[in-house]
Amino acid sequence: MSTQNRARSGTVPSMETSHDELKDNTIVIVFGASGDLAKKKTYPALFGLFKNGLLPKDVHIVGYARTKMDEAEYHKRTTSYLKNPDNDPEVSAKIEEFKKLSTYISGGYEDAPSFQNLNRHLESIEKNYQRKEYNRVFYLALPPSVFVPVSKHVRENCYAQSGVNRIIIEKPFGSDLDSCRDLLSNVKQSWTEDETFRIDHYLGKEMVKNLLVLRFANVALGNNWDKNSISNVQITFKEPFGTEGRGGYFDEFGIIRDVLQNHLLQVLSILTMERPVSFASEDIRNEKVKVLRAIPPIERKDTVLGQYVGANGKPGYLDDDSVPKDSVCPTFAATVLWIHNERWEGVPFVLKAGKALNEAKVEVRVQFKDVTQGIFKDISRNELVIRIQPSEAVYLKMNTKSPGLNFRAVPTEMDLTYKRRFSDLKVPEAYESLILDAFKGDHSNFVRDDELDVAWKIFTPILHWIDGKDGSRPRPSPYPYGSRGPKELDQFIASYGYRRATEDYSWPTTNTSNL
């Protein structure tokens, strides 16, 4: 086999797009350039792409925000989170180059003259381009309250008349079904679905993207991927810190809107969808929508809510000065979703997320059914675990004979830990991957409008209950800062068929002297 053919072996066909890839004459306009999201995520992602030569040729970045600051202050802010821990002179030189291709304009978000001033600045940059077709990518690193006026003013005052225009919108996309529909309809008055890229950054994470390959490129998994083999599935998000002075924002949305309704539901849709006919973006998104439509609204009995309290020297949620003292906003939630289709009927999907827990972790845990009883008794179940972050990994927990003279089955794992197996590769940041997809015009890892609609249908009833729109608000169970969550959690999960591993099992190593 030739070197060229070996390089192609296993290649996934390129995802089809209906757009042109932006290769030159492109300006990226970052709205909210002075905010935390832009500083911590957007600009580091743009720099990562620039450093690796993946931005369009002669690209220019324009920051826009209400904050009045000179260019020196702007560059200081936008490069404050760029990583160069070893003070590599090449990286330092790239940072200086990155500064030179970025300028700043201040202005309002709701008045036409501010956007007309921005357009004049864009035109002054475009005069230096050789071709007469100019591309503009508008990135809204903004709160949702200004999505509609900004998208409207950009379309009316800053839309390139020749070339490609794209708009990237960050979550949250509304707070319930009605607000989502209102937001979608207003943005659609200015922008087509083809021009719109709605970011859920979990869709850019390496292990979430890997789900497509794990599921559809492995016959060994595919034949067992249904209700006949799988007992239950857990999708878990854990943070070891609380709101830390940002409780005012969090209290408005809560953990379900912040994590479950978007991030974890996106993971679930890829995990459970049917095989797409191709890797074209619309074929993938069609299958995601199909499976989401088979999920009825969550019921109250399938939900556990919690709120962390002070422990281990750490303050409780209500101790945060930015949080209302009588708040019953959940900082932890576990909900069970059911998929009413032939593949998944009867399998519980438990989505769990919480703040101020015992560790930082996002993972998918697929627990298979028991081995037929007879020659084995109380044997551990097989589990496929996909660790999304940190320390990306895939491992299959299986039973094997304990080494030595004893004949005993013990749980161990087939372990693919990325840092060990792919030691020479850098896993890209999710935002780098997604922004690059937007330049390519690839919608595969962005959220479509009908996908949002059906996602909100699933969660809106339970959110209205929590918000007190359907009677009195439920009071979340307290759980100590640094714990695994509310005390009801273990019994709740067990009631849906989950069996915890034996006490002497731990991943990633097994000490046989304890067996």
Side-chain angles (χ1 to χ4, degrees), residues 46 57 145 154 252 268 270 300 302 360 390 392 433 450 501:
L46 288 169
K57 181 185 176 184
S145 57
V154 166
E252 183 181 349
L268 181 143
I270 300 172
R300 300 179 187 184
D302 288 333
E392 294 88 348
S433 176
D450 56 344

Side-chain angles (χ1 to χ4, degrees), residues 224 226-230 343 347 369:
N224 298 303
D226 59 25
K227 62 188 179 185
N228 298 315
S229 299
I230 293 174
R343 181 184 294 272
V347 178
K369 292 185 174 181

Side-chain angles (χ1 to χ4, degrees), residues 119-176:
N119 190 58
R120 286 191 289 272
H121 182 70
L122 301 180
E123 288 176 341
S124 69
I125 296 167
E126 289 165 344
K127 286 178 183 177
N128 299 315
Y129 289 146
Q130 299 300 312
R131 291 169 51 196
K132 297 304 178 186
E133 289 185 352
Y134 314 127
N135 307 312
R136 296 180 180 180
V137 177
F138 302 94
Y139 193 115
L140 273 57
L142 294 167
S145 57
V146 292
F147 283 173
V148 172
V150 170
S151 63
K152 178 176 180 289
H153 282 301
V154 166
R155 180 64 180 84
E156 292 176 352
N157 299 289
C158 301
Y159 195 85
Q161 298 306 309
S162 62
V164 175
N165 293 269
R166 290 174 187 160
I167 187 167
I168 301 173
I169 302 177
E170 286 273 359
K171 79 169 187 72
F173 312 110
S175 58
D176 60 8

